[in-house]
Amino acid sequence: MKLRKLKQDFLRLIGTYLLNSTINVLCKSLSIKYNDLSIIKNLENQNKNFVLAFWHGNMLVPWFQFRNKNIVALISKSKDGDLLSKLLINWKYRVVRGSSSDGGNKALDIMVSNAKNKSSIAVTPDGPKGPRRQFKAGAVITAKKSGVPLVLVAAGLKRKRILHSWDHFEIPKFFSEVNIFFSEPIYIDPQLSYDDTSNVIKDCENALSELSSKADLFNY
């Protein structure tokens, strides 16, 4: 039994290493065009932290682009979340485990606390289980309670494979062209009522969907 578990652990370790290596090589092969990157640069130059939000289905490129910045990432406690956590830790993220259905309130408190203490946060607002492209409250509430701006991020992949998963997960093909779009910083009044906050969440959902449609158009 011990030998079998040792073998399983070894195979899991090898699998994780190969996955991380392959994803790194894949992402480094991409030809990326940034639109409004100055939005992020301006915030960084002012030493301002922020909350990043991007859809679960095309999260791979945004995760890669913001690596090595010591950003706090909210990741589910699922088995898929285990794999993603290992990848993000390798990319120097600080991972917080939780979701709206499992450990959500505690995870939200941790994110707000980190945001108040000058750490940027990254969230997939329709994760971990969907519905697809339905903006959940976490990113907006974190921005609202911490007073830091929310920035929406969309990545359009010219050549990609789309998986038959709930989020229609997009995997870029090697050397694909990529469009990355950023929204203007969204500041959320901490005094907003519940109903007004719900309206902001819906507005962010619409804005991120529009940004994603824009990113999917390739004119070069």
Side-chain angles (χ1 to χ4, degrees), residues 176-189:
S176 176
E177 295 170 346
V178 182
N179 279 332
I180 297 184
F181 278 81
F182 302 93
S183 74
E184 291 290 334
I186 302 166
Y187 289 88
I188 301 163
D189 184 348

Side-chain angles (χ1 to χ4, degrees), residues 2 27 29 43 45-46 49-50 53 81-82 85 90 99 105 111 113 117-118 122 125 141 159 174 195 214:
K2 285 183 179 179
C27 290
S29 79
L43 290 170
N45 289 340
Q46 296 171 45
N49 55 310
F50 41 83
D82 290 343
S85 292
N90 187 52
S99 66
N105 289 334
M111 288 194 298
S113 176
N117 286 284
K118 302 299 181 182
I141 298 301
R159 296 172 59 247
F174 279 91
D195 287 341
K214 204 173 177 181

Side-chain angles (χ1 to χ4, degrees), residues 62-64 66-67 71-73 88-89 91-95 122:
W63 283 130
F64 178 75
F66 286 94
R67 70 195 186 284
I71 289 174
V72 176
L88 295 185
I89 289 169
W91 283 347
K92 309 304 180 188
Y93 284 88
R94 287 182 289 140
V95 172

Side-chain angles (χ1 to χ4, degrees), residues 163-197:
L163 302 186
H164 297 292
S165 54
W166 70 264
D167 59 351
H168 298 184
F169 190 79
E170 299 176 0
I171 302 174
K173 294 186 177 181
F174 279 91
F175 307 105
S176 176
E177 295 170 346
V178 182
N179 279 332
I180 297 184
F181 278 81
F182 302 93
S183 74
E184 291 290 334
I186 302 166
Y187 289 88
I188 301 163
D189 184 348
Q191 303 303 319
L192 279 186
S193 67
Y194 177 88
D195 287 341
D196 287 338
T197 302

Side-chain angles (χ1 to χ4, degrees), residues 1-10:
M1 183 65 74
K2 285 183 179 179
L3 185 61
R4 183 180 177 184
K5 186 177 186 308
L6 215 65
K7 181 180 177 182
Q8 287 175 337
D9 289 344
F10 176 73

Side-chain angles (χ1 to χ4, degrees), residues 32-46 50 52 62 65-66 69 151-154 179-185 211:
I32 298 174
K33 179 182 178 182
Y34 296 96
N35 297 270
D36 301 319
L37 182 60
S38 59
I39 289 168
I40 298 296
K41 293 297 184 185
N42 288 341
L43 290 170
E44 290 177 339
N45 289 340
Q46 296 171 45
F50 41 83
L52 295 167
Q65 288 306 307
F66 286 94
K69 290 180 178 288
V151 178
L152 309 177
V153 187
N179 279 332
I180 297 184
F181 278 81
F182 302 93
S183 74
E184 291 290 334
L211 206 64

Side-chain angles (χ1 to χ4, degrees), residues 107-140:
L108 181 61
D109 288 343
I110 293 171
M111 288 194 298
V112 171
S113 176
N114 276 278
K116 285 181 175 179
N117 286 284
K118 302 299 181 182
S119 291
S120 291
I121 312 293
V123 180
T124 52
D126 58 341
K129 296 180 180 179
R132 178 177 181 260
R133 297 197 171 187
Q134 181 173 305
F135 212 100
K136 295 175 184 173
V140 169

